[in-house]
């Protein structure tokens, strides 16, 4: 049963610290998405990649967030420095060109 | 820009009763439409999707949805709800252009099931 995996599942950190979230997409999927979920804003698209190339990161605060795909089996989302307003659940999803996206379980980030 | 409106923040339904969750979208061309369900502390699970063809689509767990272009709606229905259906439901839209694109989600509808 192929699934998207995300690590860590929970992260508590202090303001100013670097946070790295990792995602392993489903094997064979060529598109990876990062979403953020908060009570106030709901689910928002942060960035996505196709064939490891960044396509759109307009939803991401550029000064502190960065997203990369070092290889086809790993996507990372980094926040440096983290701030309390970054507290949210971060979801990774993967898919192919048919637009059906499969979501991981999420990383719950708490910045104190 | 595309958008999705789910007008009901909360809905309470008795177990065994029928359910309809509303979704309206705004998109300039032919959209792809989705319904996802999220249980507390969990990720999103796809219930059903509409890409083209028959406007009434069947999904998992006994759910169905009907695409109505004239009303820009994609409402989710279930004839008889179960206590396990209590969750958050999200409608989403994406353009039907070539290649995958990021989803635009509604704010969600929280479904409460009364015994």
């Amino acid at each position: 049963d192929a699934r998207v995996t995300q690590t860590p599942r929970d992260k508590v950190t202090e303001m100013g610290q670097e946070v790295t979230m990792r995602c392993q997409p489903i094997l064979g999927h060529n598109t990876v998405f990062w979403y953020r979920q908060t009570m106030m804003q709901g689910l928002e698209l942060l960035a996505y990649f196709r064939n490891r190339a960044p396509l759109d990161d307009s939803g991401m605060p550029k000064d502190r967030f960065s997203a990369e795909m070092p290889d086809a089996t790993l996507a990372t989302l980094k926040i440096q420095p983290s701030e309390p307003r970054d507290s949210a659940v971060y979801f990774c999803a993967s898919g192919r060109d048919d637009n059906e996206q499969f979501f991981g379980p999420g990383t719950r980030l708490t910045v104190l | 820009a595309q958008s999705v409106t789910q007008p009901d923040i909360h809905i309470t339904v008795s177990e065994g009763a029928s359910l309809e969750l509303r979704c309206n979208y705004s998109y300039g061309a032919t959209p792809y439409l989705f319904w996802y369900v999220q249980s507390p502390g969990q990720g999103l699970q796809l219930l059903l999707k509409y890409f083209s063809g028959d406007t009434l689509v069947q999904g998992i767990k006994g759910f169905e949805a009907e695409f109505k272009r004239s009303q820009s709606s994609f409402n989710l229905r279930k004839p008889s709800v179960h206590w396990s259906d209590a969750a958050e439901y999200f409608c989403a839209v994406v353009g039907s252009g070539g290649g995958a694109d990021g989803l635009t989600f509604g704010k969600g509808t929280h479904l409460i099931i009364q015994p």
Side-chain angles (χ1 to χ4, degrees), chain B residues 14-32:
Chain B
S14 297
E15 190 169 15
S18 63
L19 170 71
E20 182 168 28
L21 302 182
R22 295 183 291 165
C23 171
N24 292 96
Y25 68 90
S26 173
Y27 188 71
T30 303
Y32 288 167

Side-chain angles (χ1 to χ4, degrees), chain B residues 38-102:
Chain B
Q38 184 180 31
S39 297
Q42 302 297 312
L44 281 79
Q45 181 183 21
L46 179 67
L47 285 176
L48 47 77
K49 63 192 180 200
Y50 172 77
F51 284 177
S52 65
D54 192 348
T55 56
L56 183 64
V57 293
Q58 303 297 320
I60 62 171
K61 305 185 180 186
F63 286 92
E64 67 178 26
E66 186 171 11
F67 171 59
K68 293 185 177 180
R69 184 186 301 275
S70 61
Q71 298 177 20
S72 297
S73 69
F74 189 56
N75 295 348
L76 182 71
R77 300 194 294 249
K78 187 170 184 177
S80 176
V81 298
H82 186 261
W83 65 266
S84 60
D85 294 324
E88 192 83 16
Y89 291 80
F90 294 94
C91 181
V93 66
V94 69
S96 58
D101 206 348

Side-chain angles (χ1 to χ4, degrees), chain B residues 3-17:
Chain B
S3 65
V4 176
T5 301
Q6 293 180 246
D8 304 305
I9 298 175
H10 300 276
I11 280 190
T12 300
V13 178
S14 297
E15 190 169 15

